[in-house]
Amino acid sequence: MTRLLIKAGAEVQIIMTDAATEFITPLTLSTLSKNPVYQSVTSAEGWNNHVELGLWADAMVIAPATATTLGKLANGIADSMVVACYLSARCPVFFAPAMDLDMWVHPAVKENVRRLQSYGNTLIPVGNGELASGLSGDGRMAEPEEIVALLEKHFAKKQDLEGNKILLTAGPTHEAIDPVRFIGNRSTGKMGLAIAEAAAARGAEVQLILGPSALQPQHKNIKLIRVKSAQQMYEAAKDYFPQADVVIFCAAVADFRPKNAANQKIKKKPGEEEMTIVLEKTPDIAAALGKMKTEKQILVGFALETQNGRQHAAGKLRKKNLDFIVLNSLTDKGAGFGHDTNKVTFIDGDNKITEFELKSKLAVAEDILDEVVRLQEK
Ligand code: C5P
């Protein structure tokens, strides 16, 4: 694979685990990559800087990713240079598992793969065939040619958003009731993260303002501000807004918050069967920034509706001064909160309606960005 990558014009730096050195010598890989091979966080010369390597790379490929390595990556156990570098990497990460067929289907391995994917890393699926154990089945590492082709496809991505600054709100908000409780919603941030990654991969500089979410953006062109409440999201978005060329409001912002959040945990009172929390409106971030919108800015909103979707979405488009709105329905199977897929309809200012199939959130993100580019060219 090293040979193929070099042939494709890549600059390659290699880190090996101790187990890997039992299969191939570091000298062989050093000769092929024309660079030193790293094995441990410390070396005779001192400290090997995994942070620097992690920042240097445009992509990190972990191949073969054994069951042990997957477990360590998924849990952040940095007892090797590979995992230390992985934790410092800001670039897209690809992993190509390789193991025996029973290991591959074990729930522990499946869970680790799922977790890595939830961090935004890309799984390079295993192949089927003869395995090191002599058994035959799933678990073979993808062919090097296949891995290199995937990387070439990744880098060949159009850079049609280069020079654009994109402001993106994503995830839910938490509105404090007291120091322990909050009002929240079921948004995970997956759709927003998919837009952030896709936009960064297409050359944009992304300022992501993310409500409470377990997800972590990967691309180095994504700057992240984490917030909790609608108010904090509003303040952060308002500050960045004047520099933004494109703004995408993907967050599921609470419409109301407790009017007086308690400073201490609210206690049950003897005999109390009901309690009332008075709510007040939160700032409507999209509407407020829509008022400040200049001619050359493009604003995109989302609408999640359970009934009369198109009509409500079109109303929001106007009220919030958006260029187009992405309608998703909770009633479509596989669409909405927590899913990796989504089914959307775009509605624009001319009332043009474009309906899409159910597809991955990453593919939906590409469709949204295609529409942004189309509007910029108009
Ligand atoms: O009015 P509704 O909440 O349905 O509008 C959804 C759109 O408005 C989404 O793009 C959402 O991110 C944005 N929004 C906002 N601030 C709010 C409420 C919604 O930016 N307080």
Side-chain angles (χ1 to χ4, degrees):
M1 188 160 76
T2 308
R3 200 174 289 135
L4 290 174
L5 286 170
I6 300 275
K7 212 170 128 197
E11 201 183 320
V12 182
Q13 301 224 51
I14 296 177
I15 312 170
M16 297 178 81
T17 59
D18 291 341
T21 60
E22 287 170 24
F23 291 91
I24 187 162
T25 69
L27 183 64
T28 310
L29 290 184
S30 176
T31 311
L32 284 173
S33 66
K34 302 185 184 69
N35 271 315
V37 167
Y38 300 92
Q39 265 175 274
S40 70
V41 179
T42 54
S43 70
E45 291 79 47
W47 193 56
N48 282 327
N49 196 340
H50 55 87
V51 177
E52 210 167 86
L53 260 187
L55 297 182
W56 164 84
D58 296 313
M60 181 172 185
V61 186
I62 300 162
T66 61
T68 305
T69 298
L70 288 179
K72 289 183 179 176
L73 294 170
N75 291 285
I77 300 171
D79 65 349
S80 70
M81 180 75 175
V82 170
V83 183
C85 183
Y86 164 76
L87 295 177
S88 306
R90 291 201 194 155
C91 57
V93 176
F94 300 83
F95 60 101
M99 66 198 73
D100 209 40
L101 74 169
D102 294 312
M103 295 170 85
W104 176 241
V105 293
H106 194 282
V109 172
K110 287 270 163 270
E111 175 59 17
N112 288 332
V113 168
R114 192 199 62 75
R115 276 169 70 181
L116 290 175
Q117 287 178 302
S118 80
Y119 306 153
N121 306 152
T122 304
L123 165 71
I124 304 178
V126 295
N128 184 288
E130 199 175 314
L131 303 165
S133 61
L135 297 170
S136 183
D138 281 343
R140 271 174 74 93
M141 188 181 88
E143 295 301 325
E145 288 77 7
E146 205 181 306
I147 299 176
V148 174
L150 202 127
L151 287 169
E152 281 186 318
K153 200 166 144 214
H154 166 77
F155 285 111
K157 270 243 173 83
K158 43 190 176 186
Q159 293 288 299
D160 53 0
L161 286 169
E162 201 156 21
N164 272 283
K165 289 189 170 153
I166 300 190
L167 170 62
L168 178 67
T169 68
T173 65
H174 287 178
E175 309 301 330
I177 296 171
D178 67 15
V180 185
R181 290 93 165 199
F182 58 81
I183 297 177
N185 61 65
R186 296 185 203 283
S187 164
T188 56
K190 272 187 186 171
M191 189 63 241
L193 262 284
I195 298 173
E197 296 293 346
R202 284 167 73 160
E205 220 180 273
V206 180
Q207 175 62 67
L208 172 63
I209 301 172
L210 183 60
S213 162
L215 303 178
Q216 174 72 35
Q218 295 292 312
H219 201 288
K220 65 178 187 310
N221 289 354
I222 305 173
K223 281 195 255 138
L224 173 67
I225 298 178
R226 286 192 187 268
V227 295
K228 288 203 174 76
S229 64
Q231 188 65 35
Q232 291 168 350
M233 189 175 272
Y234 169 63
E235 306 285 344
K238 187 166 56 94
D239 283 352
Y240 189 85
F241 183 75
Q243 4 169 358
D245 302 295
V246 178
V247 188
I248 304 177
F249 301 101
C250 189
V253 188
D255 291 325
F256 290 92
R257 66 184 166 213
K259 191 166 180 195
N260 298 303
N263 291 329
Q264 306 295 334
K265 185 178 170 195
I266 300 171
K267 294 276 191 203
K268 295 191 282 285
K269 295 189 188 78
E272 188 181 46
E273 295 298 329
E274 274 185 6
M275 80 169 291
T276 306
I277 301 172
V278 178
L279 303 179
E280 65 180 4
K281 265 204 84 84
T282 55
D284 188 323
I285 307 168
L289 301 188
K291 286 204 177 81
M292 294 156 58
K293 176 180 174 337
T294 61
E295 266 296 293
K296 59 179 189 38
Q297 286 177 312
I298 290 177
L299 269 52
V300 184
F302 273 73
L304 178 71
E305 305 292 341
T306 51
Q307 52 188 348
N308 297 335
R310 288 185 181 179
Q311 197 186 330
H312 283 130
K316 286 175 187 176
L317 174 92
R318 290 201 166 74
K319 189 175 148 234
K320 302 185 194 227
N321 198 17
L322 305 169
D323 292 276
F324 72 101
I325 194 156
V326 182
L327 167 65
N328 45 163
S329 162
L330 268 189
T331 48
D332 285 316
K333 210 167 159 267
F337 293 140
H339 291 287
D340 291 320
T341 46
N342 208 357
K343 185 172 182 334
V344 302
T345 303
F346 293 173
I347 303 174
D348 72 10
D350 303 327
N351 249 329
K352 194 181 88 177
I353 292 170
T354 318
E355 248 188 90
F356 294 86
E357 302 287 293
L358 182 75
K359 32 174 109 176
S360 74
K361 286 192 170 167
L362 204 54
V364 173
E366 300 286 3
D367 288 337
I368 293 170
L369 297 171
D370 285 348
E371 181 68 8
V372 166
V373 171
R374 206 184 57 76
L375 288 174
Q376 281 184 331
E377 285 167 354
K378 226 163 118 177

